[in-house]
């Protein structure tokens, strides 16, 4: 265990106290002693190169717990500001982060603070608390640091989650497809790719080896994930089919065009006064093909975006395409949004989840995947 103190933290507790408790020197300075000086497990010790301390520590961490986290600190985490050792470690850290807010009640209630909390959740951080009660200001309300038992439980859960998919090969389909009509125009949809990318990142953070087959998306490729970029539905079908053969889990969150223009003009189609008729032909049903070819023990998850009779349509997709479960959502709750409201539908039940960030939805989807894999063994 390594303690990292901000300058403000040293006003409350001396570094010597944490050094005695952890058995390791306390990290306080952005440019501290660069010699490898920490007593850590052998696997982590290999990452301590003795060059830049805050980078060494960030690379070696299995989990970063920030408690208490002030409103100012959370704002710095969201915006990537790193003026001290703790925020520099957080910025360089790839391990899960548990954030435990503590502040006065009006600071907690401010729209800016709540926006920062949502941003941290959307990026995969676990938020613990705050609790309601008497505050240092003399006021009472939400803002107290969560109880040590609650923080401990979150730490145990985060640590267990990190290794929950170790050794598992996960394939995720994400983004939209684009079907050209001419060199300028195309048929596409409003999918941003956020949901599929969130699944890929969540699986990566659980220790899985992740391949992301993505059509165009409004996002940067996730770090630590193998990206296969495609554009047309036929390209996505080839890539997904190829990768599926070596995958243990497949999550198909891509918004694939059902149809494509029957003819693609080599030149821009000019405007005329006549009515234009567009002939379409069907694209292959990628998810149905994956279901038909799935091997024993493989988990297959589909998404369904429905405007009416959602449960019925999801159950039909579940049965016809041989899926383990379907993530049902609606356009108004998902397209272009940071959050989503979904229902997990299988043959026996439909579990409606509250509105949450897409990263939180991804975690719930993977929790269900892990449970199914356990039953299939």
């Amino acid at each position: 265990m390594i303690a990292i103190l901000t300058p403000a933290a040293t006003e409350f507790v001396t570094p010597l106290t944490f050094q005695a408790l952890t058995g390791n020197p306390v990290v306080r300075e952005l440019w501290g002693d660069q010699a490898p000086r920490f007593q850590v497990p052998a696997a982590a010790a290999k990452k301590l190169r003795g060059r830049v301390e805050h980078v060494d520590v960030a690379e070696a961490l299995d989990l970063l717990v920030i408690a208490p986290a002030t409103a100012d600190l959370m704002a710095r985490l969201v915006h990537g500001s790193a003026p001290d050792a703790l925020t520099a470690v957080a910025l360089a850290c790839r391990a899960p982060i548990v954030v435990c807010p503590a502040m006065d009640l009006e600071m907690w209630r401010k729209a800016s603070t709540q926006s920062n909390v949502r941003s941290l959740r959307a990026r995969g951080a676990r938020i613990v608390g705050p609790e309601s009660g008497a505050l240092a200001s003399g006021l009472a309300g939400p803002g107290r640091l969560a109880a040590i038992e609650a923080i401990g439980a979150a730490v145990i859960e985060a640590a267990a989650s990190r290794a929950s998919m170790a050794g598992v090969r996960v394939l995720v389909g994400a983004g939209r497809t684009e079907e050209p009509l001419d060199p300028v125009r195309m048929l596409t949809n409003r999918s941003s790719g956020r949901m599929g990318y969130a699944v890929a990142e969540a699986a990566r953070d659980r220790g899985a080896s992740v391949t992301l087959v993505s059509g165009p998306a409004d996002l940067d490729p996730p770090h630590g994930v193998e990206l296969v970029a495609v554009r047309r539905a036929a390209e996505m079908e080839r890539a997904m089919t190829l990768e599926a053969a070596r995958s243990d889990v497949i999550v198909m969150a891509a918004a694939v065009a059902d149809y494509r223009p029957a003819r693609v003009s080599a030149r821009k189609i000019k405007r005329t006064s006549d009515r234009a008729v567009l002939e379409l032909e069907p694209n292959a049903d990628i998810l149905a093909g994956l279901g038909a070819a799935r091997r024993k023990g493989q988990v297959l998850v589909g998404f369904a975006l429905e405007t009416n009779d959602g449960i019925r349509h999801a159950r039909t997709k579940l049965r016809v395409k041989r899926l383990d479960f379907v993530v049902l959502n609606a356009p108004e709750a998902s397209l272009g949004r940071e959050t989503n409201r979904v229902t997990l539908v299988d043959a026996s039940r439909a579990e409606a989840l509250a509105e949450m960030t897409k990263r939180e939805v991804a975690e719930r989807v993977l929790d269900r995947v892990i449970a199914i894999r356990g039953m299939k063994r």
Side-chain angles (χ1 to χ4, degrees):
M1 182 181 293
I2 298 173
I4 309 167
L5 298 188
T6 63
T10 62
E11 299 293 328
F12 291 88
V13 185
T14 66
L16 183 61
T17 301
F18 285 103
Q19 184 171 329
L21 291 171
T22 64
N24 272 315
V26 173
V27 178
R28 287 188 289 166
E29 304 293 337
L30 192 56
W31 303 104
D33 183 355
Q34 302 309 305
R37 59 198 182 110
F38 300 105
Q39 302 298 316
V40 296
K46 293 178 181 178
K47 301 175 183 179
L48 297 174
R49 302 178 182 87
R51 295 177 183 172
V52 180
E53 184 176 71
H54 63 270
V55 176
D56 270 6
V57 171
E59 287 290 313
L61 290 180
D62 293 311
L63 187 70
L64 177 61
V65 183
I66 302 178
T70 63
D72 174 66
L73 179 58
M74 290 194 296
R76 282 184 274 146
L77 292 175
V78 168
H79 293 287
S81 175
D84 55 40
L86 175 57
T87 48
V89 168
L91 193 59
C93 178
R94 288 184 290 177
I97 299 179
V98 177
V99 179
C100 308
M103 64 200 72
D104 197 61
L105 76 165
E106 292 304 331
M107 297 174 73
W108 172 250
R109 288 170 174 166
K110 279 290 186 292
S112 56
T113 301
Q114 292 303 307
S115 175
N116 289 336
V117 170
R118 288 192 295 271
S119 293
L120 290 172
R121 281 201 175 107
R123 298 175 192 179
R126 293 172 185 260
I127 309 297
V128 187
E131 298 178 352
S132 292
L135 304 172
S137 63
L139 300 173
R144 289 182 63 170
L145 181 67
I148 191 64
E149 293 81 6
I151 296 174
V155 169
I156 292 170
E157 182 180 335
S161 175
R162 191 183 189 201
S164 61
M165 299 189 77
V168 179
R169 299 191 67 90
V170 176
L171 171 62
V172 180
R176 57 187 177 270
T177 58
E178 296 177 349
E179 303 296 337
L181 179 60
D182 63 20
V184 178
R185 303 176 182 90
M186 62 188 176
L187 298 181
T188 188
N189 58 69
R190 295 192 291 121
S191 173
S192 66
R194 287 191 182 95
M195 192 65 250
Y197 277 51
V199 173
E201 291 170 346
R204 173 203 64 195
D205 292 346
R206 289 172 178 245
S209 174
V210 183
T211 298
L212 175 65
V213 176
S214 177
D218 305 335
L219 303 160
D220 293 327
H223 176 77
V225 168
E226 180 184 352
L227 176 68
V228 180
V230 298
R231 184 164 296 274
R232 301 175 66 168
E235 296 170 356
M236 180 167 282
E237 180 196 17
R238 286 193 294 270
M240 291 293 293
T241 302
L242 179 65
E243 296 293 337
R246 62 189 185 112
S247 300
D248 304 304
V249 175
I250 304 171
V251 180
M252 186 54 173
V256 182
D258 293 321
Y259 295 91
R260 64 179 181 268
R263 288 176 295 278
V264 179
S265 174
R267 297 182 178 182
K268 179 184 175 183
I269 300 172
K270 304 301 290 183
R271 177 187 176 95
T272 70
S273 59
D274 297 331
R275 176 176 295 184
V277 177
L278 178 62
E279 183 182 358
L280 302 176
E281 60 186 17
N283 279 317
D285 189 327
I286 299 175
L287 192 54
L290 295 174
R294 67 184 294 188
R295 66 176 187 275
K296 183 178 180 181
Q298 194 174 54
V299 177
L300 182 56
V301 181
F303 275 67
L305 189 71
E306 302 292 348
T307 58
N308 62 285
D309 298 328
I311 300 294
R312 180 170 63 83
H313 289 311
R315 286 248 164 82
T316 299
K317 177 175 282 193
L318 180 82
R319 182 182 68 258
V320 172
K321 302 184 183 184
R322 300 182 61 209
L323 309 179
D324 287 287
F325 67 96
V326 172
V327 183
L328 171 65
N329 50 186
E332 66 275 9
S334 61
L335 290 178
R337 296 169 61 94
E338 298 283 349
T339 60
N340 204 350
R341 186 186 305 112
V342 308
T343 301
L344 306 184
V345 181
D346 62 23
S348 61
R349 59 175 175 157
E351 180 187 2
L353 305 183
E355 182 176 356
M356 56 184 69
T357 68
K358 289 183 176 178
R359 175 58 185 257
E360 289 174 308
V361 172
E363 299 288 358
R364 296 293 291 271
V365 169
L366 293 181
D367 286 343
R368 179 71 70 90
V369 166
I370 290 169
I372 292 172
R373 278 178 55 81
M375 290 187 292
K376 287 189 175 186
R377 288 174 182 167

